[in-house]
Amino acid sequence: MASFNWKINREYTPIIKQLLVPTEDHPLKNSVVVDRITRKSSQVLIDNGATSDIGSNKSEDILDPLTMMALNDLDPLSKMQKDVDLNIRSTDEIDSTPLETWNSKKSSIFNKYTTSGKISITSNEWPESNNFEPSQTAADKVQNRLEQLDANLDSSHRKMEVTQSEYFERIDMLKRELEASWNSEQRVKAVKIAIQCAKLLAETDVMSFYPSKFVQITEILDIFGNFVYNRLKHMAKTKTSGSQIIDLPDNFTPDMISEAAKETCLNWFHKIASIRELVPRLYVELAIIRSYDFLSTTEGMEALFRISSMINGIGDPLVAAYTRCYLCKVGQTMSISRKNNSYVSMNLDCIIDNYTHLFSRNVKKALSKEDMSLYNYFDLFTPALTFIMDILVLNASDKELEKILLRCKKPKISYLLLNTVLLVFKPNFVANRTVEFLEMIGQCAEDGYTISTLLCSLGRALGKHPPPSEQQKPILRNIKKFSSSFHDLDEYITYVEAWMPFVAKNFKVREIDTILGDIISRIYCREECDHFMNQLKNVMQILLQNVEDFEALFTVDNFLPFFDLFQQDSAKMEMCKLTLKIFCESDVRISDAVVASALSFLCTVLHDSVDALTPEDELKQIGSIICIVIRKVDYGRDVEQQLKFYVEARSSFSNIDSVLIELVQRTAALMVRTRDIVQGFHNRKTADFMRACAAYCFITIPSISSARDRLELYLLSGQVALYNQCLGQADGCFKAILKTITEYESDYVRDDHYLVSFVKKFLSNILVIPDNPDFGVLSLLRSLINILRQYDWDKNGTSLLSIYLCVLDLLSAMAQETLPYHVDKVESNDALYGCDEKFLGEIEKMCRIILMEILNLLKETGTSRKQSILMLELFVRIMNRCDFEDVTVQKLAFNLWQQCQKHGFIDKHFMESIKNYYKYKRSKVKKEYLQQIFRD
C-alpha cells in the first residue's frame, strides 16, 4: 500500500466552547436517593397534572419514567409496609368510620388474644341434606323446616377438644359450608350453621381466646346477614308496566317494598324468634337486623333498644360485653341508626350498671380455674369497649366527651373504662386534662389496682399531643416516680416504650440519657435481654424519629452502651442498621468528631457483618447506608480533619467497594473545595495537603475489585490533581490507567463499547497533559496506542478504528498554536513546545502511522455499510485537518469519496449535503482541489 503524507492544517480551530456543559454529576456517583420526595410534594405534582406545573416546552422540565413512577405509586415492598403502618395506627390518626377502624384492628386482636391449650367446643350433628318431598305444600314445607330446626336444637351434643389452629380451621369450614348451603338453595341448613356459630359465642371455657373467637365467628354471622339482606332486596325488585325490572335504590323506603318481600322478611324474623337459647337468638337476629329496613323506618331502631335490654339476661359479663359490641357494630350498618347513637349510650350505661357482675362468684371461680389475674380479665374487655367508645367519640365535642368521662368516674368503675377513655379519646382532650387523669390513676392505685396499663395508655396519648408546657416538667417527675415502682421488667419496658415519644419530643437529650441509663442498669448482663429485643428496638426507633438534636444524642453517655444490650451479633447489626437508616433519612450534617466517631462505630458493626455469604442486595444496602453517613460528616473549612476522617473510614470499611469509591470521590471533592478556599493560589501548606489527598486516592483505588470503577476513579483523581497543579500525582494516575486497561481485558464484565467511550474521554485529557521530559514527546499517547493495539478487540467490531479516528482529531488539535482549552495554571504542550518544528514533525509522523493503521483496518472490514460510514468519517477528517498541498492526500480523499458513492450504503441526500458544504462554504481548501475530489 502506498504511503501518505499527513500535513496538518494549522489554521483549523475547532469550536468546542459551545459544546462544554458544566455538570455536578459523575458517572461513578452511587445511585442512592438522598433527597427523598415527600408525600406532600408528590401529591402536589400529581394533583396539578403534567401540563399545569411541569408541562412546559423545555425538555429539562419533563420527568423521566422512574421519577413519575415514584410520584404516582409506591414500589410493592413500600406499599406492603404502608398497609402495615395503617393497621397499627391509632384511631385519631385515621380519618375513618368505627367499622373501618374495627377492620384494621382484627389482625392485632388475633395476634394478642391467643391460647396454647385445648379449646372445648360443643356442637350439634348436622344433617347432610334436607329431607322434604317435592310434593309438599308450602305450609307443610314451612312446618317441616321448623321441625328440623327444633330437632337440631334438641339433638344430642358432642364435645371436642381442639387446638387453636384446629379451631380456626373448624370455623373456616363452617364459613365455607354456609356459603355452599346458601348457594345451593339450602336455606334451613344455612340458618342452622349460623345458629351453630352463635352458640359458640356463649362458651367461655378459654377466656383468653374469646376476643379472637368473637372476631372470626361474627364474620360468618355478617356473611349470613348479607345473604339474607341481598335476597330480600332481590325479591323487592319492582316491575314497570313494560315488564322492565327496576333495582331498588340504596336509599329505598319501606313503601317501595312489595308485600311478598315484606312477608318473606317477617318469616325470617319469625324463624329467628323460634330459637330457644338466648345468646344464639340475639346474635342471629342482630346478624339480619338490617333487614328491618324492608319493614319499617323505626322498627330497626326499636329492635336495637329491645335487644340491648335483653342482653341484661346474659349472665357472663364477657359474653354480654361482646354481644353489646356486636349490637353496636351491626347498628352502624343501618342508615337510620348512624344518625342516632342513643342505643350505643344505652349499652355503655348497661356495662357501667352491671360492673359488679365482674366480681361475682362465678367469674372468680372461672378466673381461678384458668389461673388468670383480674387485670388480664379486664384486658379481655378492651376491644369491645374500645369499639363502643369509638362510636360515641366520633365527631363528639369536648362537652360531650366530658359527659362520657363523668359516667366513667363512678366509684370502683374508673379502672375498667379509664383505660378505654385514654385509648379512644382525642389526644388533645387527654393532654389538656393530664393532671385530672393522673389524679384518677392515683385513685385507682389507692383502690389497690395495678396502674401500669393506665399509665402506658396515658403516655401514648401524650406522645401524640403534648400537654401544656407548664405541666410537662411536673408530669416528667411523676413519670420517674412511677417508673421506680415497677419491679417487673416486662412492665417496666412496656412503660418506657409508651412514654418515650412524649419524652423525646418535649425534653432534651439529658432526660433521654437518664432513661437509657435506667434501662441498661435493669437489664444489662441478663440472659433474658433478648426477650425484650423488639421492645428495645421500638424504644430506639421512637427516640430517633422524634429527637431533634442528633449530635447531642450521639454524645450522651448511655447511647452507645445501649447497643451492648443486644448480645447476639445479628440483633446488634439489625439495631445499628435501624439507627443509621433513620439518621440517613434526616437532614442532619455532622461536624463534631465525637458524633462522627459514634457513627463510625455503628457503621463498623454493619461492615463487620459482611462476609462471603452476604447476599448482594444486603451488601448494596449496607454500602449505601455507610456512603450516606460519610456524606453527612462535614467539617467545613477544617479540611485536614475531613481527610483524617476519610483515612480512618478507609481502614474501617475496606471490604465494601462502594464505600471505597465514595471515599475517593469525597476526597476529590475535598481537593476542589480546598482550591476554591484558596482561590487557586496554593501555598506550601495547601500544596502539601493537595498532594496528600492525591496520594490517598492513588493508594485507595487499587483495592477496588472492578476494573471499570478503577478506570473512572483514576481519571477523576488525575483530573483533580492536574486542576490543583499536582503534576506528579496526576501523571501517576494517568499511567495507572494504562495498566488498568490491560487488566480490564480479563474483567468478567468486559465491555468494548464502554472502553471505547472511556478512551475517548481519556484522549480529551491527554490534550492538555504536559509531556514528562523524562519520557520524550507524546509518551503517554504512544503508550496508550501500543496498549490498545495489543488489546484483544472483537474481530467483528470497529472499536479500534473509532479510537484511531479520535487520535487523529487529538493530534490535529495538538498541532495548533493555541490549544482549544487549558487547565488553569497548568502549562500544556502548546506553551512548552511552542511552534517547534521537531515537535510538529513528531505529531505528523504519528498521524501518518495512525492513518496507515486506519486504512489497513478498513481493508480488513470488507465492503459493508459499517466500512462506508468509517470511510466517510475519515474523509471528513482529511478535509478538515489536512493541508491539501500534498498530492497523496488529495488522491486519498478522492478515493474515499468515490468508494462511499460507489457502494451506495450512505444516503445520497446526506452525501450531497457534505459535497455542497465543502464546495460552497469551506474556503480553506482551494477550489481546484475540490473540483478534482468531487468531479463526477
Side-chain angles (χ1 to χ4, degrees):
M1 180 179 292
S3 61
F4 297 95
N5 293 325
W6 183 285
K7 190 171 181 61
I8 297 174
N9 179 8
R10 299 191 64 206
E11 296 181 1
Y12 167 67
T13 55
I15 302 175
I16 298 180
K17 292 184 179 180
Q18 292 88 338
L19 303 178
L20 298 178
V21 180
T23 179
E24 297 179 356
D25 198 7
H26 190 273
L28 287 178
K29 187 174 182 180
N30 287 337
S31 57
V32 178
V33 178
V34 180
D35 299 327
R36 302 178 63 189
I37 301 175
T38 62
R39 190 172 300 177
K40 182 176 180 181
S41 62
S42 65
Q43 187 62 40
V44 170
L45 286 173
I46 295 170
D47 292 343
N48 288 344
T51 57
S52 57
D53 291 339
I54 59 174
S56 62
N57 294 327
K58 297 180 180 180
S59 60
E60 60 268 22
D61 291 340
I62 300 175
L63 296 179
D64 63 276
L66 292 178
T67 304
M68 289 301 299
M69 185 183 298
L71 293 177
N72 291 330
D73 203 353
L74 297 172
D75 61 274
L77 293 179
S78 301
K79 185 174 291 187
M80 290 170 62
Q81 182 61 39
K82 180 181 176 182
D83 294 339
V84 172
D85 294 340
L86 285 177
N87 285 337
I88 63 175
R89 287 171 62 193
S90 59
T91 55
D92 67 291
E93 293 175 305
I94 305 175
D95 185 14
S96 61
T97 65
L99 285 177
E100 292 171 344
T101 304
W102 173 263
N103 292 330
S104 68
K105 291 179 179 178
K106 286 181 180 178
S107 59
S108 62
I109 293 175
F110 285 134
N111 293 331
K112 181 177 181 181
Y113 299 100
T114 60
T115 180
S116 58
K118 294 286 187 177
I119 304 172
S120 176
I121 60 173
T122 304
S123 61
N124 301 87
E125 295 181 359
W126 304 327
E128 293 298 326
S129 61
N130 294 321
N131 297 320
F132 25 85
E133 300 294 333
S135 59
Q136 288 179 323
T137 63
D140 293 337
K141 191 179 294 186
V142 172
Q143 182 64 31
N144 191 12
R145 289 181 178 178
L146 291 175
E147 289 174 357
Q148 289 184 31
L149 188 59
D150 288 337
N152 178 66
L153 295 176
D154 292 336
S155 62
S156 59
H157 295 74
R158 56 193 175 113
K159 198 171 185 179
M160 295 183 294
E161 299 287 337
V162 296
T163 63
Q164 177 178 311
S165 59
E166 291 171 344
Y167 190 90
F168 280 141
E169 290 175 3
R170 181 77 176 177
I171 300 302
D172 287 337
M173 184 193 72
L174 288 173
K175 178 181 176 182
R176 292 192 298 271
E177 190 160 357
L178 172 67
E179 294 172 346
S181 299
W182 189 271
N183 293 331
S184 61
E185 303 293 333
Q186 299 183 56
R187 313 293 182 204
V188 173
K189 187 175 181 180
V191 175
K192 291 178 182 180
I193 296 173
I195 296 171
Q196 198 69 31
C197 292
K199 284 172 65 67
L200 296 175
L201 291 175
E203 302 171 1
T204 59
D205 53 330
V206 183
M207 289 189 291
S208 61
F209 178 65
Y210 190 84
S212 296
K213 178 170 69 172
F214 170 82
V215 170
Q216 195 170 33
I217 291 177
T218 52
E219 285 183 353
I220 299 178
L221 295 176
D222 289 340
I223 292 173
F224 173 72
N226 288 332
F227 280 154
V228 174
Y229 183 85
N230 292 331
R231 174 172 170 78
L232 292 174
K233 190 173 181 180
H234 178 74
M235 293 178 63
K237 291 180 179 179
T238 59
K239 293 184 178 180
T240 62
S241 57
S243 298
Q244 182 181 0
I245 298 177
I246 301 178
D247 291 335
L248 282 176
D250 292 335
N251 56 345
F252 66 88
T253 56
D255 58 332
M256 300 179 184
I257 309 301
S258 64
E259 290 300 324
K262 289 184 178 181
E263 182 85 20
T264 305
C265 182
L266 282 171
N267 188 34
W268 275 107
F269 285 108
H270 290 159
K271 288 179 183 179
I272 304 307
S274 67
I275 301 174
R276 297 178 182 178
E277 296 183 33
L278 177 62
V279 173
R281 183 167 73 248
L282 296 183
Y283 268 104
V284 178
E285 182 177 0
L286 288 172
I288 67 169
I289 198 169
R290 192 160 56 123
S291 299
Y292 276 116
D293 291 344
F294 296 101
L295 301 177
S296 171
T297 56
T298 60
E299 200 163 345
M301 182 61 69
E302 293 171 359
L304 290 175
F305 283 104
R306 172 176 53 81
I307 297 174
S308 298
S309 299
M310 294 174 67
I311 294 174
N312 290 327
I314 299 177
D316 192 309
L318 187 62
V319 177
Y322 276 92
T323 307
R324 296 188 185 280
C325 174
Y326 189 61
L327 182 146
C328 296
K329 178 176 177 290
V330 298
Q332 290 298 296
T333 63
M334 302 170 63
S335 58
I336 189 170
S337 64
R338 286 196 296 267
K339 303 174 183 177
N340 182 4
N341 287 332
S342 56
Y343 71 96
V344 183
S345 298
M346 177 183 175
N347 280 276
L348 179 62
D349 291 336
C350 290
I351 292 175
I352 296 173
D353 294 337
N354 295 326
Y355 174 75
T356 54
H357 293 175
L358 274 69
F359 304 94
S360 65
R361 183 182 304 174
N362 291 335
V363 172
K364 291 180 179 179
K365 184 178 179 181
L367 294 178
S368 176
K369 181 180 178 181
E370 294 198 20
D371 194 20
M372 179 181 289
S373 67
L374 183 63
Y375 305 106
N376 290 334
Y377 181 62
F378 283 162
D379 184 60
L380 298 178
F381 290 83
T382 300
L385 295 178
T386 300
F387 179 75
I388 294 173
M389 199 75 76
D390 273 333
I391 301 174
L392 294 176
V393 170
L394 184 66
N395 301 324
S397 63
D398 285 357
K399 188 176 180 180
E400 293 170 331
L401 294 178
E402 286 282 4
K403 292 180 180 179
I404 298 174
L405 185 59
L406 286 174
R407 278 191 271 173
C408 298
K409 287 184 178 180
K410 290 186 177 182
K412 295 185 179 181
I413 197 170
S414 58
Y415 182 88
L416 178 63
L417 292 179
L418 183 55
N419 186 51
T420 306
V421 168
L422 294 172
L423 289 174
V424 175
F425 276 26
K426 300 173 183 177
N428 60 333
F429 180 88
V430 176
N432 293 331
R433 295 162 180 79
T434 304
V435 176
E436 181 181 355
F437 280 109
L438 284 173
E439 292 175 356
M440 296 173 65
I441 294 174
Q443 183 61 45
C444 290
E446 293 177 3
D447 293 340
Y449 291 104
T450 302
I451 58 175
S452 60
T453 303
L454 298 177
L455 290 170
C456 291
S457 299
L458 178 62
R460 294 186 185 97
L462 297 185
K464 297 166 189 171
H465 192 284
S469 56
E470 65 274 8
Q471 297 180 10
Q472 291 179 4
K473 288 187 177 179
I475 291 172
L476 182 62
R477 287 194 293 269
N478 283 325
I479 294 172
K480 293 180 178 178
K481 181 179 71 174
F482 283 124
S483 66
S484 61
S485 65
F486 293 130
H487 302 292
D488 182 75
L489 195 53
D490 282 295
E491 233 176 19
Y492 172 76
I493 296 297
T494 304
Y495 177 77
V496 171
E497 183 183 4
W499 281 93
M500 183 55 74
F502 169 72
V503 177
K505 289 178 181 179
N506 300 287
F507 295 94
K508 296 183 178 179
V509 294
R510 181 178 57 189
E511 305 295 345
I512 297 172
D513 187 45
T514 303
I515 296 176
L516 295 179
D518 195 17
I519 296 174
I520 293 171
S521 65
R522 285 180 181 250
I523 66 174
Y524 188 66
C525 289
R526 293 186 55 164
E527 295 180 356
E528 67 269 27
C529 66
D530 290 340
H531 173 70
F532 304 103
M533 185 182 69
N534 290 333
Q535 289 173 291
L536 294 176
K537 281 174 55 181
N538 290 338
V539 169
M540 183 55 68
Q541 184 174 2
I542 292 169
L543 174 61
L544 294 170
Q545 287 175 341
N546 293 285
V547 74
E548 294 184 357
D549 192 349
F550 267 101
E551 290 200 43
L553 176 64
F554 279 85
T555 57
V556 297
D557 296 335
N558 295 305
F559 181 74
L560 290 181
F562 183 83
F563 291 89
D564 294 332
L565 297 178
F566 303 92
Q567 300 187 7
Q568 295 182 2
D569 292 340
S570 59
K572 182 178 289 188
M573 190 270 289
E574 185 180 358
M575 192 65 195
C576 292
K577 184 187 292 186
L578 172 68
T579 303
L580 291 173
K581 275 185 177 180
I582 297 175
F583 170 76
C584 291
E585 290 173 356
S586 67
D587 297 329
V588 178
R589 293 284 174 178
I590 300 301
S591 58
D592 186 272
V594 177
V595 180
S597 177
L599 289 170
S600 296
F601 167 76
L602 299 180
C603 292
T604 302
V605 174
L606 290 186
H607 173 270
D608 294 345
S609 68
V610 174
D611 54 28
L613 300 178
T614 303
E616 187 67 23
D617 290 342
E618 179 74 10
L619 183 62
K620 288 181 179 179
Q621 187 182 36
I622 292 174
S624 298
I625 292 174
I626 298 176
C627 288
I628 295 175
V629 172
I630 290 173
R631 293 187 206 122
K632 285 181 174 290
V633 178
D634 186 359
Y635 291 102
R637 296 176 70 90
D638 191 353
V639 292
E640 292 182 344
Q641 182 66 26
Q642 190 78 43
L643 180 60
K644 182 181 178 182
F645 170 76
Y646 293 152
V647 172
E648 294 173 352
R650 180 180 62 187
S651 63
S652 300
F653 315 126
S654 57
N655 293 334
I656 304 178
D657 281 357
S658 61
V659 178
L660 296 178
I661 292 172
E662 183 69 29
L663 288 171
V664 174
Q665 290 179 330
R666 293 293 102 193
T667 305
L670 181 64
M671 294 176 69
V672 175
R673 183 170 58 177
T674 304
R675 186 186 188 280
D676 292 339
I677 292 174
V678 300
Q679 298 180 353
F681 296 96
H682 290 289
N683 54 31
R684 183 173 181 179
K685 183 178 181 180
T686 59
D688 290 342
F689 176 76
M690 287 298 177
R691 285 189 285 272
C693 290
Y696 174 90
C697 295
F698 187 79
I699 294 171
T700 305
I701 294 173
S703 302
I704 300 169
S705 59
S706 171
R708 178 181 295 190
D709 291 335
R710 293 201 302 274
L711 286 173
E712 294 287 355
L713 291 173
Y714 275 130
L715 182 59
L716 173 65
S717 302
Q719 290 171 334
V720 176
L722 196 65
Y723 184 58
N724 287 279
Q725 300 102 54
C726 300
L727 301 184
Q729 287 72 21
D731 187 62
C733 290
F734 293 137
K735 288 181 179 178
I737 290 176
L738 303 180
K739 181 181 178 182
T740 307
I741 290 175
T742 61
E743 298 172 358
Y744 180 81
E745 184 175 353
S746 60
D747 199 342
Y748 69 95
V749 291
R750 165 183 164 176
D751 182 2
D752 289 353
H753 295 291
Y754 166 77
L755 186 57
V756 170
S757 174
F758 175 80
V759 170
K760 289 179 180 180
K761 287 191 295 183
F762 187 34
L763 291 174
S764 67
N765 287 271
I766 291 177
L767 177 64
V768 295
I769 298 173
D771 281 341
N772 190 326
D774 297 332
F775 295 96
V777 178
L778 304 178
S779 58
L780 187 61
L781 179 60
R782 293 177 189 274
S783 299
L784 175 63
I785 293 174
N786 290 331
I787 290 173
L788 295 176
R789 186 180 295 167
Q790 298 172 5
Y791 187 84
D792 183 19
W793 297 98
D794 183 5
K795 295 181 180 180
N796 297 323
T798 58
S799 301
L800 186 58
L801 254 174
S802 177
I803 292 175
Y804 280 157
L805 291 173
C806 292
V807 171
L808 289 180
D809 292 334
L810 171 65
L811 293 171
S812 299
M814 279 185 173
Q816 307 304 313
E817 291 186 10
T818 303
L819 297 180
Y821 52 87
H822 294 83
V823 177
D824 187 31
K825 298 180 178 60
V826 174
E827 292 184 340
S828 299
N829 286 338
D830 58 342
L832 295 177
Y833 295 109
C835 298
D836 185 75
E837 294 296 331
K838 185 177 179 181
F839 173 67
L840 296 177
E842 288 292 330
I843 292 177
E844 292 178 348
K845 179 180 177 181
M846 186 175 292
C847 286
R848 288 193 292 272
I849 295 174
I850 295 298
L851 179 60
M852 294 302 297
E853 290 284 340
I854 292 174
L855 294 175
N856 289 331
L857 290 173
L858 283 173
K859 185 177 180 181
E860 294 176 2
T861 302
T863 303
S864 62
R865 176 179 175 79
K866 191 183 301 182
Q867 184 197 52
S868 298
I869 293 174
L870 292 171
M871 283 183 177
L872 185 60
E873 289 188 18
L874 178 60
F875 171 78
V876 170
R877 281 167 173 77
I878 292 174
M879 297 293 291
N880 290 339
R881 314 283 197 248
C882 283
D883 188 348
F884 266 75
E885 297 294 335
D886 191 277
V887 178
T888 59
V889 173
Q890 299 174 22
K891 184 177 179 181
L892 175 60
F894 171 77
N895 291 334
L896 290 172
W897 181 257
Q898 292 299 321
Q899 289 294 323
C900 290
Q901 284 190 321
K902 176 182 177 182
H903 296 319
F905 289 110
I906 302 177
D907 184 68
K908 294 182 178 180
H909 296 289
F910 182 63
M911 296 284 290
E912 189 67 24
S913 63
I914 293 176
K915 178 179 177 181
N916 293 333
Y917 173 77
Y918 286 112
K919 288 183 69 174
Y920 302 111
K921 297 183 180 180
R922 293 284 292 178
S923 59
K924 294 179 180 178
V925 180
K926 294 182 179 180
K927 291 185 178 181
E928 57 269 22
Y929 298 153
L930 294 175
Q931 291 176 355
Q932 293 178 8
I933 294 172
F934 295 120
R935 66 178 182 269
D936 297 331

